[in-house]
Amino acid sequence: MRETCIFCRIVSNEARAAIVYRDEQVTAFRDIHPVAPTHILVVPNRHIESVNALEAEDERLMGHLFIVAGKLAREEGIDRGGYRLIVNTGADGGQTVFHLHVHLIGGQRMMHPMG
Ligand code: AMP
């Protein structure tokens, strides 16, 4: 838990968010600035700064995080149409909140990220 980390504060209920899923390992909540009809962030409850900070012991946690993302996609009704999972990493990757998170984005057709 990092007092200065907004996602840690959401996980611990100190900051408000539209939480859609929570268990002992991960929390999911709606992005405050959605870029598509569905835009959910799935985060580990434990503070992990980014993919750069992952260790071998985090393998199950990260697998679980993606399983939850897929479950939420089904619940949002976007699994058949398709969706995008994004993990921005570091400044060049566009990461602005340094608590690892997966963006689940869908509900509309998206441009290919590679152009
Ligand atoms: P990234 O740029 O990949 O680090 O993504 C960070 C995301 O967190 C952005 O899409 C923000 O809109 C979102 N965000 C920042 N603060 C909050 C918050 N308090 N509640 C929900 N989403 C947030």
Side-chain angles (χ1 to χ4, degrees):
M1 166 72 191
R2 299 226 174 137
E3 278 299 329
T4 54
C5 172
I6 183 61
F7 290 177
C8 280
R9 292 172 63 83
I10 288 171
V11 167
S12 65
N13 281 327
E14 285 173 41
R16 288 179 63 120
I19 292 177
V20 295
Y21 179 84
R22 189 200 282 285
D23 65 25
E24 67 287 346
Q25 294 184 81
V26 303
T27 299
F29 49 91
R30 297 199 187 275
D31 195 292
I32 204 164
H33 298 303
V35 299
T38 291
H39 189 168
I40 291 170
L41 302 172
V42 192
V43 313
N45 292 344
R46 178 164 57 86
H47 185 86
I48 300 173
E49 202 158 287
S50 77
V51 170
N52 285 337
L54 285 174
E55 298 182 353
E57 308 86 82
D58 299 321
E59 196 171 319
R60 285 179 68 90
L61 169 63
M62 292 310 294
H64 179 64
L65 197 146
F66 273 82
I67 297 285
V68 167
K71 169 183 141 64
L72 292 171
R74 289 193 295 280
E75 284 179 11
E76 290 284 309
I78 58 172
D79 55 316
R80 291 174 72 90
Y83 52 89
R84 187 169 287 168
L85 297 175
I86 300 173
V87 186
N88 294 326
T89 304
D92 283 358
Q95 186 176 8
T96 59
V97 177
F98 286 81
H99 180 133
L100 195 156
H101 50 282
V102 173
H103 295 256
L104 165 62
I105 299 172
Q108 68 183 34
R109 183 65 57 94
M110 279 169 281
M111 301 286 285
H112 197 282
M114 302 306 185

